[in-house]
Amino acid sequence: MDYKLSEEELELKEMARDLANKRIYPIALEMDEKATTPDDLIAECAELGYFGFTVPEEYGGLGMPSTSFMGVLQEFCSASAGFGILFSVHNSLICEIITNFGSEELKKKYLPVLATGEKIGAYCVTEPNAGTDVAALTTTAIDKGDHYLMNGTKAFVTNAKYQGVYIVFAKTHPEEGRKGISCLVVDGDSEGITLGKHEDKCGIRASDTREVSFDDVKVPKENLLGNLKEGFKMALMNLNSGRIGVSFQAIGIAQAAFDEALKYSKERQQFGQPISNFQAIQFKLADMATRLDAGILLAYRASRMKDAGEVCQRQASMAKVFCTEMANFVCNEAVQIHGGYGYIKEYPVERYFRDARVTELYEGTSEAQRMVISRDLIRE
Ligand SMILES: Cc1cc2nc3c(=O)[nH]c(=O)nc-3n(C[C@H](O)[C@H](O)[C@H](O)COP(=O)(O)OP(=O)(O)OC[C@H]3O[C@@H](n4cnc5c(N)ncnc54)[C@H](O)[C@@H]3O)c2cc1C
């Protein structure tokens, strides 16, 4: 398999880097401090097609393969991971699950408005008492003839505040446990939806995260995504996309931290010379660059396998666990290379260090990835 980027992939990545450098990076610290993302930047990205990057052209998107989107995501996350995750969830989870599992009617109704950014997507799986144990979710969607009646609370919902389109995993058959989970598309402006408070986070602060409660929300029958009672299977399948997406978020953060650390090591003088002259610093840089490259290779392998329609659950989990732990290692070392200055907000490595932490938690923790990988190995 060729992990080299094609001409087109490189060009798209370059364009995203240009936008990231000019428009996203300059306000990254402000977005982090204010814990928000300006509407005009979102509108600009919508104009450029970033909300419909992987949506098929017939539904108003750019119809790009998801590997091309991964390069874009990496560049956005290098500039601001909190900003990048908005697109990661919207494209890799929401647009993709509707494209893969939606009826023609659902695709025509939701993909065009998602592709233009008129509606922003949010993914609702986690609940206050159901995290890694997805099957324990208690949100219900009970068949009432012409609609489902949804009740329950989802936790940690990225992009919830936009109240665009929610993909909700709920039990249509509560007595059947994980086999009773189905997946529904819910309009954000439906009556009975309440947003919780904005979560005040350690990192990716530009990203909005909050609880969403569904209180007797009527969901039309035709908004069932995929088949009834296949929600658990769909959630697992869609996780591959999410995990590959988080791998590239982590690569973006790590690349930015590495670049800063390399630059700083050549500028900072101690004992009358740049600290990059010291072997202790050189070896840190060597380890950081090596792990970064290894992460990039694992992530592109998984992404290309997914685009080729191959089974890639193990490879997606390997990429996710390696890239996210790599990002935490690289950011930690980048702070170390900056000495005390790395602990100060004026230096971007402080933000990268905080932003990297969450990548080991969401879309399945590192422990969950190791469970997936080891089960797959043992089963084989
Ligand atoms: C910023 C942020 C954004 C998020 N965005 C979304 C979103 O948009 N949509 C969404 O649905 N969710 C979202 N999440 C939720 C995220 O996916 C969960 O936090 C994650 O799945 C872990 O669940 P939990 O927090 O309940 O931890 P728990 O499942 O309670 O885990 C706690 C610890 O126990 C370990 N553990 C649990 N079970 C096992 C086991 N069987 N064996 C070994 N160890 C185990 C875990 O690895 C972890 O270390 C987000 C989370 C954050 C922090």
Side-chain angles (χ1 to χ4, degrees), residues 130-151:
T132 306
D133 185 7
V134 172
L137 66 84
T138 57
T139 296
T140 51
I142 304 302
D143 190 339
K144 294 288 179 186
D146 64 340
H147 66 269
Y148 292 101
L149 197 64
M150 183 175 280
N151 279 287

Side-chain angles (χ1 to χ4, degrees), residues 94-377:
I94 308 304
C95 294
E96 191 154 324
I97 201 167
I98 297 178
T99 303
N100 289 342
F101 293 100
S103 61
E104 195 50 36
E105 201 183 5
L106 276 184
K107 287 192 220 181
K108 280 192 178 137
K109 181 171 178 198
Y110 289 104
L111 288 177
V113 287
L114 287 163
T116 54
E118 187 187 322
K119 302 261 182 204
I120 296 179
Y123 202 64
C124 308
V125 183
T126 308
E127 295 183 2
N129 293 312
T132 306
D133 185 7
V134 172
L137 66 84
T138 57
T139 296
T140 51
I142 304 302
D143 190 339
K144 294 288 179 186
D146 64 340
H147 66 269
Y148 292 101
L149 197 64
M150 183 175 280
N151 279 287
T153 295
K154 294 292 179 179
F156 292 117
V157 182
T158 303
N159 294 348
K161 82 160 178 187
Y162 301 106
Q163 292 187 277
V165 175
Y166 297 124
I167 298 291
V168 185
F169 290 82
K171 283 185 175 151
T172 44
H173 299 73
E175 63 293 345
E176 294 182 44
R178 77 157 76 160
K179 291 194 177 135
I181 299 174
S182 302
C183 180
L184 295 135
V185 188
V186 182
D187 284 309
D189 56 4
S190 308
E191 213 172 302
I193 296 181
T194 323
L195 296 184
K197 68 169 175 45
H198 164 88
E199 302 288 2
D200 194 10
K201 303 191 296 293
C202 155
I204 59 160
R205 290 175 54 76
S207 167
D208 187 80
T209 316
R210 61 181 78 215
E211 274 191 358
V212 183
S213 294
F214 301 88
D215 185 14
D216 280 345
V217 175
K218 283 184 181 173
V219 184
K221 276 300 217 11
E222 59 270 22
N223 278 26
L224 176 74
L225 198 57
N227 294 325
L228 200 61
K229 301 204 288 182
E230 287 193 359
F232 189 76
K233 210 166 79 185
M234 287 162 65
L236 293 187
M237 282 168 75
N238 212 41
L239 272 178
N240 285 341
S241 304
R243 286 171 181 169
I244 294 169
V246 178
S247 305
F248 280 91
Q249 287 172 28
I251 289 168
I253 301 168
Q255 184 72 59
F258 175 77
D259 292 346
E260 282 297 321
L262 180 62
K263 182 162 67 95
Y264 186 82
S265 73
K266 292 193 237 175
E267 289 165 2
R268 175 69 175 168
Q269 301 267 332
Q270 286 294 283
F271 299 94
Q273 54 190 310
I275 59 169
S276 60
N277 280 1
F278 305 135
Q279 197 180 55
I281 301 293
Q282 291 168 356
F283 281 13
K284 280 190 195 304
L285 291 168
D287 285 346
M288 290 157 81
T290 306
R291 291 195 201 189
L292 191 44
D293 272 14
I296 290 169
L297 290 174
L298 278 176
Y300 271 104
R301 176 180 74 167
S303 191
R304 295 220 189 284
M305 284 178 75
K306 186 178 144 275
D307 274 353
E310 294 172 36
V311 175
C312 63
Q313 196 188 28
R314 187 200 304 178
Q315 290 77 8
S317 283
M318 283 178 165
K320 206 263 178 186
V321 71
F322 186 87
C323 291
T324 61
E325 292 183 356
M326 172 277 287
N328 278 283
F329 168 81
V330 168
C331 292
N332 190 44
E333 291 293 64
V335 169
Q336 196 66 22
I337 289 173
H338 279 69
Y341 296 100
Y343 205 59
I344 306 247
K345 287 200 184 292
E346 219 175 301
Y347 289 80
V349 290
E350 184 269 347
R351 176 167 54 87
Y352 303 144
F353 177 74
R354 286 185 287 110
D355 285 352
R357 190 62 190 87
V358 74
T359 61
E360 276 195 60
L361 301 174
Y362 55 32
E363 294 294 336
T365 60
S366 290
E367 290 77 15
Q369 307 309 322
R370 289 188 166 87
M371 287 194 275
V372 171
I373 297 163
S374 55
R375 276 182 197 153
D376 196 49
L377 290 168

Side-chain angles (χ1 to χ4, degrees), residues 62-83:
L62 299 182
M64 296 289 171
S66 66
T67 300
S68 301
F69 176 65
M70 292 300 113
V72 171
L73 185 59
Q74 179 187 331
E75 296 301 338
F76 280 15
C77 287
S78 273
S80 163
F83 183 71

